[in-house]
Amino acid sequence: MAEWSAQQQAPILAIDGLRKAFGALVATDDVTLDIRAGELHALIGPNGAGKSTLITQICGELKPDAGRILFDGRDVTRLRPHLRSRLGLGRTFQITQLCPDFSAIENVLLSIETRGGGSFDMVSNPRGNAGAIASARERLAEVGLGDLAARRAETLAHGQRRQLEIAVALAREPRLLLLDEPMAGLGPEETAAMTRLLDGLKRRYAILLVEHDMAAVFALADRVSVLVYGRLIFTGTVAEVRSDPQVRAAYLGGEPAC
Amino acid sequence: MMTSRLRLAVVAGGLFLLLAAPFLAQPTGSAGLLGLANRIAIYAIAAVSLDLILGYGALVSFGHAMFFGLGGYAVGIVAFHTGSGEPLLGWSGSNAALIVWPLALVACALLAAIVGTLSLKTSGVQFIMITLAFAQMVFFVLVSLQSYGGDDGLLLDRRNTLPFIDLSRPTTFYYVCIALLIGWTAFCARIVNSRFGLVLQALRQSERRSINLGVDPFPFRLTAFVISAIGTGLAGVLWANYARFVSPDMAAWSKSGEFIAIVVLGGLGTLLGPIAGAAVFIALEQILSIWTEHWMIVMGPILTLVALFGRRGLAGRLFGERNG
Amino acid sequence: MILFIEQALNGLQYGSMLFLLASGLTLIFGIMGVINLTHGAFYMVGAYCAAFAVLSTGSFLVGIAAALIGAGLYAVLVEVAVVQWLYRRDHLYQVLATLGLILFTNEAVSMIFGRRPPLMDIPPLLQGSVPLLPGLDYPLMRIALIVTGGLVAIGLWALVNHTRVGMLIRAGADDREMVDALGVDIRRLYTLVFGLGGALCGLAGVMAAPLLAIEIGMGERVLITTFVVIVVGGVGSVRGALVGALLVGMVDSLGRAYIPQLLLLSLPATTADTLGAGLVSASIYLLMAIVLLVRPNGLLPARG
């Protein structure tokens, strides 16, 4: 089998000339980027480079000043966030956003229930829907939370909540996964486990991974984009990024690539 | 296991007390006691309704008395026209509960749809202020209705009528109220545990998460707001029939405050808690007002203490985990 | 035309009083994020203190001092005893706790001062009217209230924009954590703002006392109107409170004067009377509804 190559795939997400300024601070400066089907694309950059601002624009929580966002060929630049989500945009948050009073499985059930925006059915109990329960259990097992289905989200450990966020995002069978620093705050073992989990998701979903952990990025990514002061200074394969002098100067700070 | 058995016992005990109240009241020869139980039942319906949005939707409505007042006035105004022979917009009126009550509830639903649409454009402290302000508007409009008694309110000649059931008998009326309380609470519990309820509760816990899962918050919150208003309107309808009197005080801001106090006292987001809250609140009010005319000087600080320390309410420990 | 100017002045006077209440309330919300229903009670306490001080000394100046000190101290007491424990709690509990305080304050005031509403005369210096225009004499007391509102607006603007406390207030409204990080004793700042808000309520109370009835429950009615002012103007912003207060004052006063007349032009008298009375009392809430439709965050919100 030939080596998998992003170039051969159709783009799921295409960002074209995106710009967002807060007063004099340009947080997103003419960013053009695409994510292709089955690709794991990592977005790296120093703190304050505008990674989160970019993610929130892709999700629609923040409106860009200029530029376009195409999702699966469709212009979604002006679409409200809940509608983008219904098109198949799944995400996790840098600071976990779960329903703390719901159990782990209820959080996943919610995700399954809201694929079409949620139901006004006031009679049937989603907890009695055997099909949805089975599929939620599968998702929990997939991220390694199979034994903790009944635990309230609030009582889960930090790393487990990160895993649950991924299960919630997967449960809607998204066409594109946006993972905003899934390794943040994890210990070395948890990071290794998360890397294995993401490696398992690779190819099944198009993934945009924002991450600080370089080892994980280099182990997982097909392509890497580097964002510095709102500008995309480089996009290329892992090998290219490692050897690019401009990236090393701007971001890796000359430290030996690991 | 222990708590679930205890929970069952407490619910069964409470239900027994509600059902047995007329018999417990009889030997003491006091019609007052049955009246007290009836007031508790009516307030409980309003409290359960408010809990639906307060406890499960985190929508702090400080204006629910407007629906209580409107429900009551709908009954009062129809009765006024039926009694006086003056037609109301060409309709000669009716005394049948099966006609008047649904009419009153539809009026409440319409008001809630309008108020909710405007108020839900905001959240947090503005939502509190706006619902309070709209309720005050309803209050002043009721005061200005000179033909319906203005400030003094409106006396009803008799209660509405139901086929086969004689609502003019206090005990019968009481049991109708209890049946409606049980039915409405069961309905609300069903909603809370439904697919709709799952989304409503998710919005309370994390609006951001919910939106990013594809949920548009507004229609869910508005629907819950309207349902809650209908329940509170039902309480108003029953109150008008119970007291055979309606006045603008039914829509006063202090009434909205009482409803909130009852829900928090009973236990936010427990549905059954607010019923206990209504019982304790009304009984306490009664006892304190017998004891001293300055009973507010005690009641006020009690509410403050409940807010400061009683985070989980009477039912908090028992029904600790929110449904869902 | 004369009637219009007179009604506009009445609106200005009512707006001026609402501003005294709304500015303190909106600062308290903007800085501490707390919804304080007791604000109306401070106003009542101020009016009662003033009335009894004037009754026993005969001096209006003593009345002003009594109102400022009485309402200011009561506000500080309320903050220290109750509100400070609620800063990090949900608004629901702030509502309930301060609701309890209203009931307590109303009952306590009626026990201390008696159930009979005290009367307060207009002080000799402010009695009578001044001719503003040919055919328009306007009462001096009302003019004094308008001037007071104007002076307070200027004073607050100077305080917020040109003093250290004002800088902390602005910083606190934008970023509570930053003020914490500056090492400022935030607790004292909070108590101070509460006391200031209370004193402004007291000022409103003493200035309104000769014009309106002093009674138990006067605080809540004006409190709810103050909420309308804040929603219209934008939560947390003093400028918004000023604009909102003037708008609400004008709409209320002009509505009272003109809505019944306008309805009489097109409707039979009995219908027009009933409807007119209803519309007059609903006018400011309709104003609020319109503002909400156009600008959900109010006309001049504190942030963005």
Side-chain angles (χ1 to χ4, degrees):
Chain A
M1 199 178 105
E3 182 78 352
W4 189 91
S5 159
Q7 308 309 330
Q8 298 157 358
Q9 307 291 324
I12 285 281
L13 179 79
I15 299 171
D16 182 22
L18 208 65
R19 187 186 153 86
K20 177 77 195 176
F22 301 102
L25 175 77
V26 183
T28 307
D29 192 356
D30 196 20
V31 168
T32 298
L33 178 73
D34 60 27
I35 318 280
R36 289 163 186 274
E39 177 189 18
L40 199 157
H41 195 124
L43 180 68
I44 62 173
N47 280 327
K51 302 188 295 291
S52 290
T53 313
L54 188 59
I55 290 266
T56 48
Q57 287 173 90
I58 295 173
C59 295
E61 290 177 333
L62 204 62
K63 293 237 178 316
D65 300 335
R68 292 198 308 159
I69 301 169
L70 299 173
F71 184 67
D72 211 9
R74 176 177 168 186
D75 189 338
V76 297
T77 318
R78 312 239 139 252
L79 208 60
R80 290 164 66 202
H82 65 272
L83 295 175
R84 292 190 200 192
S85 165
R86 287 186 213 170
L87 291 177
L89 197 66
R91 76 177 287 195
T92 67
F93 294 82
Q94 195 177 348
I95 298 160
T96 46
Q97 298 281 334
L98 294 162
C99 294
D101 291 343
F102 280 168
S103 64
I105 196 162
E106 279 171 332
N107 270 285
V108 182
L109 263 181
L110 175 72
S111 179
I112 295 173
E113 273 290 317
T114 51
R115 269 180 206 163
S119 164
F120 284 83
D121 175 353
M122 296 188 185
V123 180
S124 50
N125 189 334
R127 298 159 194 84
N129 179 343
I133 292 279
S135 130
R137 284 201 184 283
E138 231 169 85
R139 293 306 178 191
L140 286 175
E142 192 175 354
V143 301
L145 291 177
D147 302 335
L148 298 171
R151 278 272 292 279
R152 284 177 64 215
E154 199 177 39
T155 65
L156 292 174
H158 174 76
Q160 293 167 336
R161 269 184 263 168
R162 290 253 174 237
Q163 290 163 291
L164 180 55
E165 276 238 309
I166 291 184
V168 168
L170 291 181
R172 43 203 312 103
E173 285 160 12
R175 313 217 38 212
L176 171 68
L177 262 178
L178 301 175
L179 305 177
D180 197 353
E181 301 200 18
M183 322 270 180
L186 299 188
E189 272 174 44
E190 291 173 316
T191 304
M194 181 63 81
T195 309
R196 277 196 301 280
L197 173 60
L198 296 187
D199 197 40
L201 301 178
K202 195 171 159 180
R203 298 286 173 270
R204 291 164 51 200
Y205 304 93
I207 299 176
L208 177 64
L209 171 70
V210 174
E211 190 45 69
H212 272 301
D213 188 313
M214 283 308 122
V217 166
F218 289 152
L220 288 167
D222 297 305
R223 287 192 298 163
V224 180
S225 286
V226 185
L227 198 66
V228 177
Y229 296 124
R231 291 194 77 92
L232 212 53
I233 62 164
F234 186 89
T235 297
T237 62
V238 170
E240 287 164 356
V241 162
R242 285 177 131 159
S243 58
D244 187 86
Q246 202 191 349
V247 175
R248 298 183 65 129
Y251 181 45
L252 300 176
E255 71 189 62
C258 40
Chain B
M1 276 304 101
M2 251 336 265
T3 46
S4 80
R5 205 169 290 173
L6 186 63
R7 205 180 299 183
L8 202 65
V10 170
V11 172
L15 195 62
F16 172 77
L17 275 180
L18 283 177
L19 290 176
F23 303 99
L24 298 174
Q26 229 162 24
T28 56
S30 131
L33 207 56
L34 182 60
L36 182 71
N38 209 334
R39 289 201 295 281
I40 290 173
I42 293 173
Y43 269 71
I45 293 177
V48 168
S49 308
L50 183 59
D51 192 28
L52 188 67
I53 56 166
L54 206 62
Y56 296 95
L59 301 173
V60 184
S61 166
F62 198 174
H64 253 46
M66 71 178 122
F67 307 117
F68 191 68
L70 183 63
Y73 262 82
V75 171
I77 288 173
V78 171
F80 174 79
H81 285 281
T82 312
S84 70
E86 272 177 64
L88 172 68
L89 304 172
W91 178 46
S92 61
S94 164
N95 208 29
L98 291 179
I99 295 174
V100 178
W101 295 10
L103 204 67
L105 300 187
V106 168
C108 290
L110 283 177
L111 179 67
I114 297 168
V115 170
T117 302
L118 287 167
S119 312
L120 286 168
K121 283 176 163 286
T122 65
S123 59
V125 71
Q126 276 149 299
F127 184 82
I128 299 175
M129 291 181 181
I130 289 163
T131 47
L132 174 61
F134 278 123
Q136 190 74 355
M137 179 177 87
V138 170
F139 173 79
F140 279 128
V141 168
L142 294 181
V143 168
S144 73
L145 293 176
Q146 286 307 329
S147 36
Y148 302 121
D151 234 348
D152 299 326
L154 204 54
L155 277 169
L156 282 68
D157 295 335
R158 56 209 174 97
R159 287 182 181 156
N160 294 126
T161 52
L162 275 175
F164 313 118
I165 299 172
D166 181 11
L167 290 182
S168 63
R169 285 189 53 216
T171 316
T172 311
F173 183 72
Y174 174 74
Y175 278 121
V176 168
C177 291
I178 290 296
L180 286 169
L181 170 63
I182 294 172
W184 184 253
T185 309
F187 175 63
C188 288
R190 192 87 201 211
I191 291 178
V192 162
N193 289 310
S194 73
R195 301 172 67 193
F196 172 82
L198 189 77
V199 176
L200 181 67
Q201 292 181 71
L203 281 168
R204 166 178 65 82
Q205 298 171 61
S206 175
E207 179 174 304
R208 203 170 170 210
R209 170 85 271 171
S210 309
I211 290 174
N212 277 284
L213 285 177
V215 176
D216 183 9
F218 176 73
F220 285 92
R221 289 188 169 143
L222 184 64
T223 306
F225 190 78
V226 170
I227 292 172
S228 168
I230 290 173
T232 312
L234 177 63
V237 165
L238 293 175
W239 183 268
N241 276 282
Y242 163 76
R244 289 197 284 123
F245 172 63
V246 293
S247 78
D249 276 343
M250 286 178 76
W253 72 274
S254 51
K255 191 69 72 186
S256 299
E258 262 176 53
F259 291 152
I260 290 184
I262 287 172
V263 173
V264 176
L265 178 68
L268 207 57
T270 57
L271 290 184
L272 293 178
I275 298 176
V280 171
F281 189 92
I282 307 272
L284 196 63
E285 203 177 63
Q286 184 93 8
I287 293 165
L288 287 176
S289 61
I290 290 170
W291 176 52
T292 162
E293 63 164 322
H294 298 297
W295 60 279
M296 286 278 194
I297 204 106
V298 185
M299 198 66 175
I302 288 177
L303 297 188
T304 306
L305 290 174
V306 167
L308 284 174
F309 302 108
R311 291 183 189 222
R312 303 174 69 192
L314 294 169
R317 243 159 250 296
L318 210 50
F319 304 97
E321 311 108 69
R322 287 164 189 266
N323 279 325
Chain C
M1 194 58 205
I2 293 292
L3 173 73
F4 177 80
I5 296 175
E6 190 175 355
Q7 290 304 329
L9 283 171
N10 284 344
L12 198 59
Q13 172 246 308
Y14 186 38
S16 182
M17 193 192 88
L18 288 175
F19 173 69
L20 292 180
L21 296 160
S23 53
L25 191 59
T26 206
L27 274 180
I28 288 173
F29 180 75
I31 296 165
M32 303 165 225
V34 72
I35 175 165
N36 172 37
L37 302 185
T38 336
H39 212 70
F42 301 159
Y43 165 74
M44 177 184 68
V45 168
Y48 269 88
C49 288
F52 279 85
V54 171
L55 214 60
S56 47
T57 66
S59 156
F60 190 65
L61 282 179
V62 175
I64 293 181
L68 289 178
I69 295 171
L73 278 184
Y74 189 60
V76 167
L77 183 73
V78 162
E79 200 270 346
V80 170
V82 175
V83 175
Q84 67 153 315
W85 309 107
L86 294 164
Y87 287 138
R88 292 189 186 281
R89 300 280 303 278
D90 194 279
H91 292 315
L92 175 62
Y93 298 97
Q94 299 166 353
V95 165
L96 187 57
T98 52
L99 173 71
L101 284 177
I102 292 184
L103 303 182
F104 171 80
T105 313
N106 282 347
E107 201 60 54
V109 166
S110 85
M111 284 167 82
I112 295 170
F113 294 109
R115 287 216 185 267
R116 219 166 46 137
L119 283 176
M120 188 164 149
D121 293 326
I122 295 177
L125 195 68
L126 296 175
Q127 274 169 6
S129 307
V130 261
L132 291 179
L133 284 174
L136 174 63
D137 289 355
Y138 201 70
L140 204 53
M141 186 67 217
R142 288 174 183 266
I143 294 177
L145 186 43
I146 296 174
V147 171
T148 308
L151 289 177
V152 167
I154 296 170
L156 276 179
W157 174 80
L159 175 82
V160 170
N161 289 300
H162 293 286
T163 64
R164 190 179 142 75
V165 170
M167 188 203 75
L168 291 175
I169 287 175
R170 275 179 293 144
D174 287 340
D175 188 352
R176 222 161 298 167
E177 278 154 29
M178 194 190 86
V179 177
D180 275 330
L182 283 175
V184 175
D185 186 349
I186 199 104
R187 293 243 17 83
R188 266 181 41 207
L189 177 69
Y190 284 4
T191 311
L192 188 75
V193 173
F194 234 86
L196 176 70
L200 287 176
C201 288
L203 188 58
V206 62
M207 295 305 287
L211 299 171
L212 305 169
I214 305 176
E215 59 188 348
I216 307 295
M218 65 193 280
E220 288 82 74
R221 269 196 298 283
V222 79
L223 173 80
I224 297 170
T225 313
T226 307
F227 281 169
V228 175
V229 166
I230 292 179
V231 168
V232 167
V235 173
S237 128
V238 178
R239 277 191 317 154
L242 182 61
V243 171
L246 292 178
L247 256 179
V248 168
M250 288 295 170
V251 166
D252 182 80
S253 159
L254 295 178
R256 264 173 223 293
Y258 291 108
I259 288 178
Q261 292 182 23
L262 285 176
L263 287 176
L264 269 178
L265 292 178
S266 55
L267 291 169
T270 46
T271 325
D273 276 356
T274 312
L275 198 63
L279 263 182
V280 163
S281 27
S283 60
I284 60 167
Y285 306 100
L286 294 179
L287 168 74
M288 179 182 79
I290 293 167
V291 169
L292 274 176
L293 280 174
V294 187
R295 316 242 344 218
N297 288 322
L299 297 173
L300 295 168
R303 269 161 270 197

